[in-house]
Amino acid sequence: MSGKRNVLITGAGSGFGRALATEALSSGYSVIGTVRSEAARQEFGAMNPTRARAIVLDVTDFEAIGPVVARAERDVGPIDVLVNSAGYGHEGTLEESPLEEMRRQFDVNVFGAVAMIKAVLPFMRERRRGNIINITSMAGYVGLPGIPYYAGSKFALEGISEVLAHEVRDFGIKVTAVAPGAFRTDWAGRSMIRSPRSIADYDVLFDPIRRARSEKSGQQPGDPAKAARAILKAVEANDPPVHLLLGSDALKLVRDKLNSLGKEIDTWESVTRSTEYV
């Protein structure tokens, strides 16, 4: 592969996954992308007949993931980089959102990502090298009203990524959780699942949020192509970050959150320290 590496990207049919696949191919990488249909598989492969290959895979089909990864290792070559980009957004207040929607959200955004990681790790560990990129969100740091299930899934993936980075560092495997802000993808459009409204008490808080998110879909400030280039820069770095924010909005919201958290910790420090044996 002329010095470039093999990248496996989940959710490569759209959004960040597609933008990253496009950028990686233009940079000389070979890309294996997971997609959801045969038509999408053929369309993806046409991007580059030599270095683009797609696999039809639902990341919630956990039993299928291991054999798919093993087959890719055998037929394509070592998977040097895994990018967990498959995911979707769920919108709705916690009280109004059915519990089964939370299970589905976590199956895709968390369990699917972890299943992919578990499938590639034995190969990366044996080779003593590899990169794992988990696409999270600024909502994995900041509890934004109206997306509790989504935020919870991204908080979870941020935490899992941080722990994993410690566990596999000595094996030469690098882990980065990439937290984008608002980017011009389909996340707030056709990829968003919205629970119906049912409780009038939430109207004042939530109706403006839902309306604004829908109206801004397609007008977000973030450029997915530039995000893809930033992610590849992290992949190619000798010492990539464990946490990488993308977008000025993510930077501001997360900094504000950390400052607020620091003040809250300081305010309650005496209570925190009061719980130990003396």
Side-chain angles (χ1 to χ4, degrees):
M1 198 178 64
S2 303
K4 286 292 186 180
R5 293 184 283 175
N6 294 322
V7 184
L8 172 57
I9 304 172
T10 67
S14 62
F16 280 111
R18 184 53 173 260
L20 185 56
T22 300
E23 187 65 27
L25 287 168
S26 69
S27 299
Y29 288 82
S30 287
V31 178
I32 307 163
T34 73
V35 296
R36 296 296 301 275
S37 70
E38 178 60 25
R41 186 190 71 79
Q42 295 182 21
E43 192 268 340
F44 186 90
M47 293 172 66
N48 187 304
T50 304
R51 290 185 287 109
R53 177 181 297 195
I55 299 170
V56 178
L57 177 68
D58 180 344
V59 296
T60 66
D61 186 357
F62 307 129
E63 297 300 319
I65 288 175
V68 162
V69 169
R71 190 160 57 249
E73 284 268 341
R74 183 191 68 218
D75 296 345
V76 179
I79 295 170
D80 301 295
V81 183
L82 168 67
V83 181
N84 277 311
S85 183
Y88 72 97
H90 174 272
E91 182 190 74
T93 67
L94 187 143
E95 190 175 359
E96 293 175 308
S97 300
L99 194 58
E100 56 265 26
E101 290 291 353
M102 183 178 183
R103 291 192 181 98
R104 172 65 179 166
Q105 182 82 114
F106 273 67
D107 274 350
V108 176
N109 291 5
V110 182
F111 286 90
V114 171
M116 292 297 303
I117 292 167
K118 289 174 71 67
V120 302
L121 269 180
F123 299 101
M124 290 184 173
R125 180 167 46 80
E126 182 178 1
R127 290 189 289 267
R128 289 301 197 262
R129 70 175 191 271
N131 287 79
I132 296 171
I133 306 292
N134 292 323
I135 306 298
T136 66
S137 170
M138 63 182 178
Y141 289 86
V142 183
L144 301 172
I147 50 171
Y149 294 173
Y150 179 77
S153 73
K154 295 304 185 179
F155 265 84
L157 196 53
E158 280 283 338
I160 290 167
S161 299
E162 186 170 310
V163 173
L164 181 65
H166 290 299
E167 292 180 344
V168 301
R169 180 180 294 124
D170 290 344
F171 306 143
I173 302 169
K174 314 292 179 58
V175 180
T176 299
V178 177
F183 277 75
R184 207 165 293 183
T185 67
D186 291 328
W187 179 81
R190 67 179 180 86
S191 295
M192 175 74 74
I193 302 298
R194 291 178 164 88
S195 289
R197 296 297 324 283
S198 59
I199 303 174
D201 282 346
Y202 292 107
D203 289 354
V204 172
L205 169 70
F206 186 51
D207 281 352
I209 293 173
R210 171 164 282 183
R211 183 167 56 251
R213 183 172 289 127
S214 180
E215 290 173 351
K216 291 177 181 177
S217 180
Q219 306 298 320
Q220 298 95 329
D223 182 343
K226 291 181 179 179
R229 289 194 284 274
I231 292 168
L232 288 181
K233 184 177 293 186
V235 168
E236 294 170 355
N238 291 327
D239 187 21
V242 176
H243 302 281
L244 177 63
L245 300 173
L246 296 181
S248 297
D249 53 348
L251 187 64
K252 182 182 186 308
L253 280 172
V254 174
R255 276 182 169 163
D256 288 349
K257 162 66 179 288
L258 295 177
N259 288 335
S260 175
L261 180 60
K263 291 176 182 177
E264 188 172 76
I265 289 171
D266 291 343
T267 298
W268 287 85
E269 181 175 353
S270 62
V271 176
T272 300
R273 293 183 180 279
S274 72
T275 58
E276 299 171 359
Y277 287 109
V278 293

